[in-house]
Amino acid sequence: MLAGLGRSGLPEVVDVVGEPGIGKSRLLDEVCARARRAGFTVLRGRATEYEHQVPFHLFTDAFADADPGAQAALADPAFAEVHSALYGIRQAPGDGSVESAAARFGLHRAITAFLTQLGERGLVLALDDVHWADPASRELVDHLIRHPARGRVLLVVARRVRQTPTSLTAALTRGADSGTVVHLPLEPLSEQESVLALAPDIAEDQAKRLHAASEGNPLYLLALGHAHRTGASLPRLTPDTHADATESGYVAGLPGGLAALLLDELGTLTESQRRLVGAVAALGDHASSALLAVVSELSVRDVEQETTALVARDLLRAGPGGRWMLRHPLVRALVYERTAPGRRAEFHRRAARELARRGAPATERAHHVARSLTDWDPQAAEVLTEAAAGFASSAPAIAGQLLDVVLTHMPDTPDRFTQRGELLLARTRALGVSGNLRESRDLLHSLIENAGKNHPELRTRAVAQCAVMERHLGHSPEATALLRRELSRDPGPSPAQAVSLRLALGMSALLTASYPQARADVAQAVAVARADDDPTGEAAALALAALGEAYEGETEAAAGFADSAASLADALTDPGLAGLCEALVWLAWAETLLERYADAERHITRGLGIARRTGQLHVLPHLLTSRAFVHLTTCRLPSALEAAEEAESIARAAGSDDLLGFTLAIKTLVLLLARPLGDGSALATGEEATAAAGRSRGWWSSLAWCMLGHAAFVSGDPHRAQEAITTAGGGPELPLLQPSIRPGQLDTLAAAALTAGDVEAAERWAAQATHEADRLGLDGQRAAALRAQATLAEHHGETGKAVRLLDAAAQEYVRCGQTLWEAYSLLRAAPLVQRTGQGARAAAMWHRAHRIAVGGGARLLVDLAELIRPQVMAETPELPAQLAELTARELEVAELVAQGLSNQDIAARLHLSRRTVETHLSSIYRKASVPSRAALAGLMTRVGLGAGS
């Protein structure tokens, strides 16, 4: 794999798995040694069991002993974000609102870019014991598996199967299924391998007995061999399948005899040595000689003497950065677990005090404070709360862990109820954004009931937050019931809270495709916010109303609400909008559905900036999917895919199946256009989207099934395409499908039906598309209906009619700015135009579509263009650069000018107004750089596109 790095199609990740002591770390040693000899940069990191509350520990360890070249790259100002996020998060005070990190997922992309740069000369990133990785490191590993660094980069992870968290196992399994991950299980060594390699100096009979006792585990055999050579007592030399000495505590799965041997070795230590190794086990990364002296209460001289003795016994080894470490994680575990709890807590307590004396921030001290807490300590709680705030945006799972420690020790008394409630809300937020939705929801249920009538403000906030968790769990009806119950209480919530609750009701209704049931609630939210002089709440309510009406296909009403919402939102400052950033989500999606792409992009960009600065990760997937859709439609596929993949990463981390299904649905459509013809990634993503979203009747689920239908049709399966889209719509008439996008889905259904030989169904769906598009009054949806009719006309042999319909569709797409679909319509039309004898016009259509597709990264359309090139370009001259920018309609107008037609005659021929023809001519003169009508006619004649061409 090292030799083949960087070649397309080869795996980029190796997943090494095996039991404790089987040789995973030894294999990584060999990989790293060979990579260094071959000139690769090598980064080697190891997770540890007792540092779960230290974010990115696995990666900071990997970078700690990087070679000078990697350290120099990390110091590059271009990667300041990587350095500050990996190191500054623990070493400098912070409020968790670092914009550049956004907070977790921007860092993931930045580190991928950093590894890509290092990979220019070859890079191996070897990560050991990832089953113990902290949550932030696990998320980053997951990202690197799904989005590998480009170039000659190999990621090698080593782990124990049974202790690996499910999410990481799932990511590695998906990678193995797609061919990007090689799964490498390590099996026990055979008798011959063991004796020859590990016990060559021991008599053969005894060596075989030792092997049998070790069951082929090399670490166990080495320990047995060492005991045999030193005359130490040996455990029973037969495997004991019933032994349970190691099935409890830290070393679960470790052979009992091995644990006994390691404990015997530790039993020979002096009291000061035991105290020192106990301090090393507790301190982890902080185990410097100076801190060891403070924690173990030994003199600096005694520490030096004892570490020298322990190094000689190979119990201690020097680690990077001048710190000490025990020779194997299993040894550390045995030492840590066998240290008396009181002494262990005291080690951590002294470490925390010393770090505080040195000026270390709460984020660096938190790990030791959490492990030293045995009773309620307000000062310790303050440190943990401060650290949790610092970790909230970049490592929310760790923030939740720290708050849990505080809540566990805080007295549950009435005078502390409000304080406990605030901390509990903070913890449920952290749990929610780190994927623990059910735990967050359950805690909120408890808080709602306990708050009762005595704490209405706290209860209402908990209800609003709980409704979000319920929605993400796919429980919108439960969210709706909870919200209505809270609104019906007497006394009711404050005006601001009432607006928030009614907006949540509207969003729940929208997701369950029942917006009309919440229309009155949204209108009430507008009225309450307006009466309360709350422009942010009013803007949000108007934006939600715009989205709800746009979804339902009430275009005129949606446009009015969108105008009002945009007017209010644009007048607000960013801090003013920060409290309801969802307003920009709803407004941007409404404008997207209304085909106002420039306005949508403006509000998306602003919303992303506010959300990133304020750490509001929950709104990012919605803004990013909107950006992906806008960039797809306007033919900017690379940036569309980047946005879709970031949205997917956040959705996976959030743990919401519905949200993941939604983001994958958008990604399916992007992949369909961004990947080459015949690529299966869009279909696979669509299948995963529908699996995540299920067959519920909600907006996101139906969208996922529609996108799967499009992918199935392009992959050559029209029957599956029809099944998927009619599943989304609840039947052949699509009664449950989002009205605002029905014509586009009906276009695909009509084409699929014709491919499957069902002309009657195709005619029915094409007619319905026209009816739906007329009701909507949206250019893009009208164009989709025209395309459906063109497909029918072509099937019936009415080539001229098909050309006129496709040409009209292309013009509609030009009007609304849907450049991608303009190009697709031109490619559909070009062969038909060639068939009618208009070779030059067909070539012009092809050239414009090809240029759009290439410039926008639409690989599917580029391949389609190349596929039809021979039939379109037969005996047709290349289009000159002066005319290459003209649209198909503009080229048609120019040809008629060259034939001597007046503006009035051209208008009559093309069924346009005279003013439209004059507008086209002004554009033609500018693009072709000609000053007059006569010059244009001369140019067209010279290049063979004039009269008689």
Side-chain angles (χ1 to χ4, degrees):
M1 293 190 71
L2 286 174
L5 274 183
R7 295 179 193 165
S8 178
L10 292 181
E12 297 153 310
V13 182
V14 181
D15 176 27
V16 181
V17 298
E19 296 301 319
I22 203 69
K24 301 182 296 299
S25 300
R26 180 76 168 104
L27 182 58
L28 262 60
D29 289 342
E30 290 296 330
V31 171
C32 293
R34 293 191 187 193
R36 288 191 182 97
R37 288 199 297 270
F40 285 72
T41 295
V42 174
L43 300 176
R44 174 81 181 270
R46 184 172 218 150
T48 50
E49 185 178 18
Y50 303 111
E51 279 74 30
H52 275 205
Q53 293 159 345
V54 180
F56 301 110
H57 176 269
L58 181 60
F59 287 86
T60 53
D61 189 57
F63 288 121
D65 59 348
D67 64 29
Q71 291 287 8
L74 192 58
D76 188 320
F79 296 108
E81 174 182 347
V82 176
H83 190 279
S84 64
L86 284 179
Y87 296 97
I89 188 173
R90 300 204 306 272
Q91 296 174 358
D95 60 1
S97 61
V98 181
E99 176 185 5
S100 62
R104 297 136 74 190
F105 305 102
L107 172 63
H108 296 172
R109 295 192 306 278
I111 286 183
T112 303
F114 174 64
L115 297 176
T116 295
Q117 177 170 311
L118 291 182
E120 291 177 0
R121 63 187 182 97
L123 170 69
V124 170
L125 175 59
L127 303 176
D128 205 354
D129 289 335
V130 295
H131 52 278
W132 283 330
D134 62 273
S137 291
R138 288 203 308 268
E139 281 189 350
L140 184 45
V141 171
D142 180 286
H143 178 86
L144 292 172
I145 293 167
R146 288 184 292 105
H147 306 293
R150 295 184 301 276
R152 299 174 63 218
V153 179
L154 181 66
L155 170 63
V156 187
V157 299
R159 63 189 178 95
R160 301 179 195 172
V161 173
R162 285 177 291 186
Q163 292 175 261
T164 304
T166 303
S167 59
L168 188 54
T169 299
L172 289 162
T173 302
R174 283 195 303 269
D177 291 343
S178 65
T180 59
V181 174
V182 171
H183 185 64
L184 184 61
L186 300 189
E187 302 295 340
L189 297 180
S190 70
E191 181 181 278
Q192 184 179 11
E193 290 168 329
S194 296
V195 173
L196 288 176
L198 304 176
D201 58 331
I202 299 175
E204 183 177 352
D205 288 348
Q206 182 67 7
K208 288 181 177 181
R209 291 175 63 204
L210 296 178
H211 172 265
S214 74
E215 298 182 295
N217 183 301
L219 181 66
Y220 192 3
L221 181 58
L222 285 169
L224 286 168
H226 176 74
H228 172 76
R229 293 183 189 97
T230 59
S233 61
L234 290 170
R236 182 172 47 187
L237 295 186
T238 56
D240 185 356
T241 57
H242 302 290
D244 62 356
T246 59
E247 289 303 323
S248 61
Y250 164 82
V251 285
L254 189 67
L258 176 55
L261 287 169
L262 295 175
L263 289 172
D264 283 346
E265 183 180 1
L266 296 172
T268 63
L269 300 181
T270 66
E271 171 56 29
S272 59
Q273 288 173 341
R274 278 197 295 272
R275 196 187 315 169
L276 189 62
V277 296
V280 171
L283 288 179
D285 282 353
H286 287 125
S288 64
S289 294
L291 196 53
L292 280 171
V294 173
V295 170
S296 65
E297 295 186 306
L298 296 172
S299 68
V300 174
R301 180 171 180 173
D302 286 344
V303 168
E304 291 176 355
Q305 288 178 344
E306 297 296 7
T307 52
T308 300
L310 291 167
V311 166
R313 299 181 62 157
D314 196 26
L315 268 175
L316 280 191
R317 293 178 181 176
R323 70 176 189 262
W324 294 101
M325 55 194 295
L326 289 154
R327 75 164 184 265
H328 195 281
L330 295 175
V331 177
R332 183 191 180 192
L334 286 168
V335 171
Y336 192 85
E337 296 299 333
R338 284 180 61 82
T339 301
R343 173 178 280 192
R344 196 166 59 211
E346 188 57 33
F347 284 156
H348 287 294
R349 195 172 294 116
R350 290 173 190 157
R353 282 201 299 263
E354 177 61 16
L355 289 171
R357 189 189 67 78
R358 296 179 182 183
T363 46
E364 189 174 359
R365 290 178 277 146
H367 161 65
H368 293 295
V369 171
R371 288 195 168 268
S372 68
L373 203 56
T374 56
D375 201 355
W376 175 241
D377 181 340
Q379 289 183 325
E382 186 177 337
V383 172
L384 295 178
T385 304
E386 182 183 345
F391 293 151
S393 63
S394 54
I398 294 172
Q401 291 172 5
L402 296 178
L403 291 171
D404 185 40
V405 173
V406 176
L407 288 163
T408 298
H409 291 88
M410 178 182 282
D412 190 4
T413 54
D415 61 307
R416 294 189 182 274
F417 187 87
T418 300
Q419 184 184 8
R420 284 185 66 86
E422 294 294 341
L423 290 173
L424 194 56
L425 281 176
R427 182 166 182 245
T428 58
R429 282 193 297 271
L431 289 169
V433 298
S434 59
N436 297 294
L437 297 174
R438 285 178 175 78
E439 186 179 357
S440 176
R441 186 269 316 273
D442 292 346
L443 288 172
L444 286 164
H445 278 183
S446 177
L447 178 58
I448 290 166
E449 293 306 314
N450 290 334
K453 296 181 179 180
N454 297 325
H455 304 275
E457 194 272 341
L458 189 63
R459 185 195 63 233
T460 302
R461 287 167 58 199
V463 166
Q465 196 163 311
C466 188
V468 174
M469 296 301 109
E470 295 284 19
R471 285 207 311 266
H472 279 308
L473 286 166
H475 302 162
S476 286
E478 289 87 341
T480 298
L482 192 66
L483 292 163
R484 291 207 180 279
R485 172 184 157 190
E486 188 65 20
L487 281 165
S488 68
R489 286 182 182 269
D490 186 20
S494 68
Q497 289 179 326
V499 169
S500 175
L501 294 174
R502 292 190 187 280
L503 291 179
L505 271 174
M507 191 59 194
S508 291
L510 190 58
L511 292 179
T512 53
S514 57
Y515 179 76
Q517 298 176 17
R519 195 175 263 135
D521 290 291
V522 177
Q524 182 68 13
V526 174
V528 171
R530 191 171 289 159
D532 195 42
D533 192 22
D534 176 11
T536 303
E538 185 181 353
L542 288 166
L544 183 56
L547 178 56
E549 301 300 346
Y551 175 96
E552 292 295 329
E554 302 296 337
T555 305
E556 185 176 349
F561 285 128
D563 289 340
S564 299
S567 178
L568 276 173
D570 291 346
L572 290 167
T573 63
D574 283 2
L577 271 172
L580 260 176
C581 199
E582 289 89 343
L584 293 174
V585 173
W586 299 328
L587 179 57
W589 263 114
E591 289 167 334
T592 299
L593 293 178
L594 290 169
E595 300 175 356
R596 300 177 173 185
Y597 300 119
D599 289 336
E601 187 150 19
R602 179 166 57 86
H603 291 125
I604 290 166
T605 301
R606 188 181 182 194
L608 287 171
I610 294 172
R612 294 188 197 282
R613 283 194 298 275
T614 56
Q616 298 187 59
L617 294 182
H618 62 287
V619 303
L620 287 178
H622 308 286
L623 289 165
L624 289 164
T625 48
S626 182
R627 168 176 278 182
F629 189 82
V630 169
H631 284 207
L632 164 84
T633 304
T634 53
C635 205
R636 291 173 281 172
L637 273 301
S639 55
L641 185 57
E642 181 182 348
E645 288 182 337
E646 184 181 357
E648 176 198 357
S649 294
I650 300 171
R652 286 191 188 279
S656 168
D657 288 342
D658 281 3
L659 182 59
L660 179 61
F662 174 59
T663 58
L664 289 175
I666 300 297
K667 184 182 176 183
T668 297
L669 189 59
V670 175
L671 286 172
L672 188 62
L673 278 300
R675 295 287 189 252
L677 196 61
D679 182 89
S681 57
L683 186 62
T685 303
E687 289 169 342
E688 187 182 356
T690 54
R695 289 179 177 262
S696 66
R697 298 300 186 187
W699 177 12
W700 293 349
S701 175
S702 65
L703 189 66
W705 282 96
C706 284
M707 297 306 105
L708 175 62
H710 294 309
F713 180 60
V714 172
S715 70
D717 191 343
H719 297 287
R720 189 181 186 191
Q722 293 176 83
E723 180 186 3
I725 297 176
T726 54
T727 295
E733 304 302 318
L734 310 184
L736 302 179
L737 187 63
Q738 178 181 347
S740 55
I741 65 168
R742 276 184 198 155
Q745 313 313 308
L746 289 161
D747 171 35
T748 299
L749 277 176
L754 281 178
T755 304
D758 191 347
V759 178
E760 183 181 345
E763 290 175 340
R764 185 174 65 252
W765 277 325
Q768 185 182 349
T770 300
H771 172 74
E772 298 274 4
D774 288 343
R775 185 178 82 84
L776 289 171
L778 294 169
D779 295 333
Q781 296 300 318
R782 191 159 40 233
L786 288 168
R787 226 168 47 202
Q789 293 290 349
T791 303
L792 272 176
E794 182 183 0
H795 176 78
H796 292 308
E798 300 171 320
T799 304
K801 180 180 179 182
V803 168
R804 288 194 298 275
L805 289 166
L806 286 170
D807 189 47
Q811 293 308 307
E812 295 282 4
Y813 285 133
V814 169
R815 268 191 288 277
C816 67
Q818 294 188 13
T819 318
L820 178 91
W821 302 115
E822 177 201 351
Y824 176 61
S825 299
L826 292 175
L827 291 175
R828 285 274 309 277
L832 302 180
V833 172
Q834 175 67 261
R835 207 178 300 163
T836 63
Q838 303 175 73
R841 185 178 170 212
M845 288 178 163
W846 187 93
H847 278 293
R848 176 167 174 78
H850 185 261
R851 186 173 61 256
I852 291 171
V854 170
R859 285 291 308 277
L860 181 73
L861 297 190
V862 172
D863 288 355
L864 178 60
E866 294 302 330
L867 200 62
I868 67 172
R869 180 200 283 265
Q871 52 184 303
V872 173
M873 296 302 186
E875 301 178 5
T876 301
E878 285 290 320
L879 201 66
Q882 276 179 287
L883 303 177
E885 289 297 320
L886 300 189
T887 68
R889 176 65 86 186
E890 289 168 349
L891 192 66
E892 193 174 14
V893 169
E895 287 178 348
L896 294 176
V897 167
Q899 293 174 26
L901 273 67
S902 67
N903 287 0
Q904 188 62 49
D905 292 337
I906 293 172
R909 174 80 66 88
L910 300 181
H911 305 288
L912 303 172
S913 69
R914 181 168 180 169
R915 185 178 184 86
T916 300
V917 172
E918 291 170 352
T919 301
H920 280 314
L921 278 171
S922 297
S923 177
I924 292 166
Y925 295 155
R926 176 177 53 79
K927 291 179 180 179
S929 299
V930 293
S932 65
R933 192 183 194 90
L936 174 62
L939 172 64
M940 297 296 289
T941 301
R942 285 196 303 277
V943 300
L945 297 177
S949 63

